[in-house]
Amino acid sequence: MFGKEYMLESLAAISKDIIEHEEYLNHLDNVIGDGDHGTNMARFARIILQDLPDLAESEEHLGEVLRHVGMRCITEIGGSAGPLFGKFYLQAGMIEIDNLDMEEANLVAAFEEGTMGVANIGKSSEGEKTMLDALFPAVRAMQQALEEGKGFTEILQAGAEAAEEGVEYTKTIQASKGRAAYIGVRSIGHQDPGATTVWLMLQSMYRVAVARRAECE
Ligand code: ADP
Ligand code: MG
């Protein structure tokens, strides 16, 4: 089980990690897209860091916090990543978590919902060299860890590892969605920036869970 403090701390960690990787994400996007993925995501991250103190003060429950993050992403961030990650958080926040704690099953359900949201709005599926190639494997790994009775930290670890493998997989395939699809076969050999962001997000969540293991398990 985890609470609002964990969620806000994870959002802070995710945001800082994205800002640290701004140039790297731009570089990845420069190779197969238009080079703005790091800029887009860092803008999102800076807005969230600004919002966090108010979210901490507010009475908003976990679902509302996720939906707030999603709305900020949709309304403030350019590129495809804004609406796509926005939809992820918005939809993740639609699950039944109208209180201040979240069970392991809620975490996995939120990731699953968010991922379905991205696939719906992006009209995309696995194997098209997008963020979904990190999200879907992460969801499956987290579901399996949940079924095996693993705790919060191990579920996130499984998700982060699967996302990393998903990022590696994106190097091997040709893009059929997003800007990278324009360069066709030349996209093969390069990793997808959006999938890389998903991996960074899960890694940050895992690291915070390890640091707060005593409260989270
Ligand atoms: P833009 O492509 O508009 O410049 P970004 O560079 O911020 O926006 O984001 C690019 C990322 O968005 C890609 O690396 C990919 O992961 C993701 N993406 C693009 N189109 C789709 C889609 N239809 N479905 C899922 N993810 C997508
Ligand atoms: Mg781009």
Coordinates of all heavy atoms in Angstrom, one line a residue, residues 25-26 28-30 32-41 77-85 118-125 128-133 135 170 176-180 191-198, ligand 1:
L25 N 17.1 13.1 -24.3 CA 15.8 12.8 -25.0 C 15.7 13.6 -26.3 O 15.2 13.1 -27.3 CB 14.6 13.0 -24.0 CG 14.6 12.1 -22.8 CD1 13.5 12.6 -21.8 CD2 14.3 10.7 -23.2
N26 N 16.2 14.8 -26.3 CA 16.2 15.6 -27.5 C 17.1 14.9 -28.5 O 16.7 14.8 -29.7 CB 16.7 17.0 -27.2 CG 15.6 18.0 -26.8 OD1 14.5 17.7 -27.0 ND2 16.0 19.1 -26.1
L28 N 17.9 11.7 -28.8 CA 17.2 10.5 -29.3 C 16.1 10.9 -30.4 O 16.0 10.3 -31.4 CB 16.5 9.7 -28.2 CG 17.4 9.1 -27.2 CD1 16.6 8.4 -26.1 CD2 18.4 8.0 -27.8
D29 N 15.4 12.0 -30.1 CA 14.3 12.4 -31.0 C 14.9 13.1 -32.2 O 14.3 13.0 -33.3 CB 13.4 13.4 -30.2 CG 12.1 13.6 -31.0 OD1 11.6 12.7 -31.7 OD2 11.5 14.7 -30.9
N30 N 16.1 13.6 -32.1 CA 16.7 14.3 -33.2 C 17.1 13.3 -34.3 O 17.0 13.5 -35.5 CB 18.0 15.0 -32.7 CG 18.3 16.2 -33.6 OD1 17.5 16.7 -34.3 ND2 19.6 16.6 -33.6
I32 N 15.5 10.3 -35.0 CA 14.4 9.7 -35.7 C 13.2 10.6 -35.8 O 12.1 10.2 -36.4 CB 14.0 8.3 -35.2 CG1 13.6 8.4 -33.7 CG2 15.1 7.3 -35.4 CD1 13.0 7.1 -33.1
G33 N 13.3 11.8 -35.2 CA 12.1 12.7 -35.2 C 12.5 14.2 -35.4 O 13.4 14.4 -36.2
D34 N 12.0 15.1 -34.6 CA 12.3 16.5 -34.8 C 13.1 17.1 -33.6 O 13.2 18.3 -33.5 CB 11.0 17.3 -35.0 CG 10.0 17.1 -33.9 OD1 10.3 16.3 -32.9 OD2 9.0 17.8 -33.9
G35 N 13.5 16.2 -32.7 CA 14.5 16.7 -31.7 C 13.9 17.5 -30.5 O 14.6 18.2 -29.8
D36 N 12.6 17.4 -30.3 CA 12.0 18.2 -29.2 C 11.4 17.4 -28.1 O 10.8 18.0 -27.2 CB 10.8 19.1 -29.8 CG 9.7 18.3 -30.3 OD1 9.8 17.0 -30.4 OD2 8.6 18.9 -30.7
H37 N 11.6 16.1 -28.1 CA 11.0 15.3 -27.0 C 11.4 15.7 -25.6 O 10.6 15.8 -24.7 CB 11.1 13.8 -27.2 CG 10.4 12.9 -26.3 ND1 9.0 13.0 -26.2 CD2 10.8 12.1 -25.3 CE1 8.6 12.2 -25.2 NE2 9.7 11.6 -24.6
G38 N 12.8 15.9 -25.5 CA 13.3 16.3 -24.2 C 12.8 17.7 -23.8 O 12.4 17.9 -22.6
T39 N 12.7 18.6 -24.7 CA 12.2 19.9 -24.4 C 10.7 19.8 -24.0 O 10.3 20.4 -23.0 CB 12.3 20.8 -25.7 OG1 13.6 20.8 -26.1 CG2 11.8 22.2 -25.4
N40 N 9.9 19.0 -24.7 CA 8.5 18.9 -24.4 C 8.3 18.3 -23.0 O 7.6 18.8 -22.1 CB 7.8 17.9 -25.4 CG 7.7 18.5 -26.7 OD1 7.7 19.7 -26.9 ND2 7.5 17.7 -27.8
M41 N 9.1 17.2 -22.7 CA 8.9 16.5 -21.4 C 9.5 17.4 -20.2 O 8.9 17.3 -19.1 CB 9.6 15.1 -21.4 CG 8.9 14.2 -22.4 SD 7.1 14.0 -22.3 CE 6.8 13.5 -20.6
I77 N 1.6 21.1 -22.9 CA 2.8 20.5 -23.6 C 2.5 20.3 -25.1 O 1.5 19.7 -25.4 CB 3.2 19.2 -22.9 CG1 3.2 19.3 -21.4 CG2 4.6 18.7 -23.4 CD1 4.1 20.4 -20.8
G78 N 3.5 20.6 -25.9 CA 3.3 20.4 -27.3 C 3.7 19.1 -27.7 O 4.0 18.2 -26.9
G79 N 3.8 18.9 -29.0 CA 4.2 17.6 -29.6 C 3.1 16.5 -29.4 O 2.0 16.8 -28.9
S80 N 3.4 15.3 -29.8 CA 2.5 14.2 -29.6 C 2.5 13.8 -28.2 O 1.6 13.3 -27.6 CB 2.8 13.0 -30.5 OG 3.7 13.3 -31.5
A81 N 3.7 13.9 -27.6 CA 3.9 13.4 -26.2 C 3.0 14.1 -25.2 O 2.5 13.4 -24.2 CB 5.3 13.6 -25.8
G82 N 2.6 15.4 -25.4 CA 1.7 16.0 -24.5 C 0.4 15.3 -24.3 O 0.0 14.9 -23.3
P83 N -0.4 15.3 -25.4 CA -1.6 14.6 -25.4 C -1.5 13.1 -25.0 O -2.4 12.6 -24.3 CB -2.2 14.7 -26.8 CG -1.4 15.7 -27.5 CD -0.1 16.0 -26.7
L84 N -0.4 12.4 -25.4 CA -0.3 11.0 -25.1 C 0.0 10.7 -23.7 O -0.7 9.9 -23.0 CB 0.8 10.4 -26.0 CG 0.4 10.3 -27.5 CD1 1.6 10.1 -28.4 CD2 -0.6 9.2 -27.8
F85 N 1.0 11.4 -23.1 CA 1.3 11.2 -21.7 C 0.2 11.8 -20.9 O -0.1 11.3 -19.8 CB 2.7 11.8 -21.3 CG 3.8 10.9 -21.6 CD1 4.7 11.1 -22.6 CD2 4.0 9.7 -20.9 CE1 5.8 10.3 -22.8 CE2 5.0 8.8 -21.1 CZ 6.0 9.1 -22.1
V118 N -3.4 5.5 -23.9 CA -2.5 6.0 -24.9 C -2.7 5.2 -26.2 O -2.8 5.9 -27.3 CB -1.0 5.6 -24.4 CG1 0.0 5.9 -25.6 CG2 -0.6 6.5 -23.2
A119 N -3.0 3.9 -26.1 CA -3.2 3.2 -27.4 C -4.5 3.7 -28.1 O -4.5 3.8 -29.3 CB -3.4 1.7 -27.0
N120 N -5.5 4.1 -27.3 CA -6.8 4.6 -27.9 C -6.5 5.9 -28.6 O -6.9 6.1 -29.8 CB -7.8 4.7 -26.8 CG -8.5 3.4 -26.5 OD1 -8.4 2.5 -27.3 ND2 -9.0 3.3 -25.3
I121 N -6.0 6.8 -27.9 CA -5.8 8.2 -28.4 C -4.8 8.2 -29.5 O -4.9 8.9 -30.5 CB -5.5 9.2 -27.3 CG1 -5.8 10.6 -27.9 CG2 -4.1 9.1 -26.8 CD1 -5.6 11.7 -26.9
G122 N -3.7 7.3 -29.4 CA -2.7 7.3 -30.4 C -3.0 6.4 -31.6 O -2.3 6.3 -32.6
K123 N -4.1 5.7 -31.5 CA -4.5 4.7 -32.5 C -3.3 3.8 -32.9 O -3.0 3.6 -34.0 CB -5.0 5.4 -33.8 CG -6.3 6.2 -33.6 CD -6.8 6.8 -34.9 CE -8.1 7.5 -34.7 NZ -8.1 8.5 -33.6
S124 N -2.7 3.4 -31.8 CA -1.4 2.6 -32.0 C -1.4 1.4 -31.1 O -2.3 1.2 -30.2 CB -0.3 3.5 -31.6 OG -0.6 4.2 -30.4
S125 N -0.5 0.5 -31.4 CA -0.4 -0.8 -30.7 C 1.1 -1.1 -30.5 O 1.9 -0.4 -31.0 CB -1.2 -1.9 -31.4 OG -0.8 -1.9 -32.7
E128 N 5.1 -0.8 -32.9 CA 5.1 0.3 -33.8 C 6.2 1.3 -33.5 O 6.3 2.4 -34.0 CB 3.7 1.0 -33.9 CG 2.7 0.1 -34.4 CD 1.4 0.8 -34.8 OE1 0.6 1.1 -34.0 OE2 1.3 1.0 -36.0
K129 N 7.1 1.0 -32.5 CA 8.2 1.8 -32.1 C 7.7 3.1 -31.5 O 8.0 4.2 -31.9 CB 9.1 2.1 -33.3 CG 10.5 2.6 -33.0 CD 11.3 2.9 -34.2 CE 12.7 3.3 -34.0 NZ 13.6 2.2 -34.0
T130 N 6.9 2.9 -30.4 CA 6.4 4.1 -29.7 C 6.6 3.8 -28.2 O 7.0 2.7 -27.8 CB 5.0 4.4 -29.9 OG1 4.2 3.4 -29.3 CG2 4.7 4.5 -31.4
M131 N 6.1 4.7 -27.4 CA 6.1 4.5 -25.9 C 5.4 3.3 -25.5 O 5.6 2.7 -24.4 CB 5.5 5.7 -25.2 CG 4.1 6.0 -25.6 SD 3.4 7.5 -24.7 CE 4.2 8.8 -25.6
L132 N 4.5 2.8 -26.3 CA 3.7 1.6 -26.0 C 4.6 0.3 -25.9 O 4.2 -0.6 -25.3 CB 2.6 1.3 -27.0 CG 1.4 2.3 -27.0 CD1 0.4 2.1 -28.1 CD2 0.7 2.3 -25.6
D133 N 5.7 0.4 -26.6 CA 6.7 -0.8 -26.6 C 7.4 -0.9 -25.2 O 8.0 -1.9 -24.9 CB 7.7 -0.7 -27.7 CG 6.9 -0.9 -29.0 OD1 6.2 -1.9 -29.1 OD2 7.1 -0.1 -30.0
L135 N 5.4 0.6 -22.4 CA 4.3 0.5 -21.5 C 3.6 -0.9 -21.4 O 3.4 -1.4 -20.3 CB 3.2 1.5 -21.9 CG 3.5 3.0 -21.6 CD1 2.5 3.9 -22.2 CD2 3.5 3.2 -20.0
T170 N 12.7 -1.5 -29.2 CA 12.4 -0.4 -30.2 C 13.6 -0.2 -31.1 O 13.3 0.3 -32.3 CB 12.0 1.0 -29.5 OG1 13.1 1.5 -28.8 CG2 10.8 0.8 -28.6
S176 N 6.1 2.7 -37.3 CA 4.9 2.9 -38.2 C 3.9 3.9 -37.6 O 2.9 4.1 -38.1 CB 4.2 1.6 -38.4 OG 3.9 0.9 -37.2
K177 N 4.3 4.6 -36.5 CA 3.5 5.6 -35.9 C 4.4 6.8 -35.5 O 5.6 6.6 -35.2 CB 2.7 5.2 -34.7 CG 1.5 4.4 -35.0 CD 0.3 5.2 -35.4 CE -0.7 4.5 -36.3 NZ -1.2 3.2 -35.9
G178 N 3.9 8.0 -35.4 CA 4.7 9.1 -35.0 C 5.6 9.6 -36.1 O 5.6 9.0 -37.2
R179 N 6.3 10.6 -35.8 CA 7.2 11.2 -36.8 C 8.3 10.2 -37.3 O 8.7 10.4 -38.5 CB 8.0 12.4 -36.2 CG 7.2 13.7 -36.2 CD 8.0 14.8 -35.5 NE 7.1 15.7 -34.9 CZ 6.5 16.7 -35.6 NH1 6.8 16.8 -36.9 NH2 5.7 17.5 -35.0
A180 N 8.7 9.3 -36.5 CA 9.8 8.4 -36.9 C 9.3 7.5 -38.1 O 10.1 7.0 -38.8 CB 10.2 7.5 -35.7
Q191 N 16.7 4.0 -30.8 CA 15.7 3.8 -29.8 C 14.7 4.9 -29.8 O 15.0 6.0 -30.1 CB 16.4 3.6 -28.4 CG 16.6 4.8 -27.6 CD 17.6 4.4 -26.4 OE1 18.6 3.8 -26.6 NE2 17.2 4.9 -25.2
D192 N 13.5 4.5 -29.4 CA 12.4 5.5 -29.3 C 12.5 6.4 -28.1 O 12.6 5.9 -27.0 CB 11.0 4.7 -29.4 CG 9.9 5.7 -29.3 OD1 9.7 6.4 -30.3 OD2 9.2 5.7 -28.3
P193 N 12.4 7.7 -28.3 CA 12.4 8.6 -27.2 C 11.3 8.4 -26.2 O 11.5 8.5 -25.0 CB 12.4 10.0 -27.8 CG 12.3 9.8 -29.3 CD 12.4 8.4 -29.6
G194 N 10.1 8.3 -26.7 CA 8.9 8.2 -25.8 C 9.0 6.9 -24.9 O 8.7 7.0 -23.7
A195 N 9.5 5.8 -25.5 CA 9.7 4.6 -24.7 C 10.7 4.8 -23.6 O 10.6 4.3 -22.5 CB 10.0 3.4 -25.6
T196 N 11.7 5.6 -24.0 CA 12.8 5.9 -23.0 C 12.3 6.7 -21.9 O 12.6 6.4 -20.7 CB 13.9 6.7 -23.8 OG1 14.3 6.0 -24.9 CG2 15.2 6.8 -22.9
T197 N 11.4 7.6 -22.1 CA 10.8 8.4 -21.0 C 10.0 7.5 -20.1 O 10.0 7.6 -18.9 CB 9.9 9.5 -21.6 OG1 10.7 10.4 -22.3 CG2 9.1 10.2 -20.6
V198 N 9.2 6.5 -20.7 CA 8.5 5.6 -19.8 C 9.4 4.8 -18.9 O 9.1 4.7 -17.7 CB 7.7 4.6 -20.7 CG1 7.1 3.5 -19.9 CG2 6.6 5.3 -21.5
Ligands
ADP1 P1 6.4 14.9 -31.7 O1 6.5 13.5 -32.3 O2 5.1 15.5 -32.0 O3 7.6 15.7 -31.9 P2 7.5 14.2 -29.1 O4 8.8 14.2 -29.8 O5 7.4 14.9 -27.8 O6 6.3 14.7 -30.1 O7 7.1 12.6 -28.8 C1 7.5 11.6 -29.6 C2 7.2 10.3 -29.0 O8 5.7 10.1 -29.0 C3 7.7 9.1 -29.8 O9 9.0 8.8 -29.4 C4 6.7 8.0 -29.5 O10 7.1 7.2 -28.3 C5 5.4 8.8 -29.1 N1 4.4 8.6 -30.1 C6 4.2 9.3 -31.3 N2 3.1 8.9 -31.9 C7 2.5 8.0 -31.1 C8 1.3 7.2 -31.2 N3 0.5 7.3 -32.2 N4 1.1 6.3 -30.2 C9 1.9 6.2 -29.2 N5 3.0 6.9 -29.0 C10 3.3 7.8 -30.0

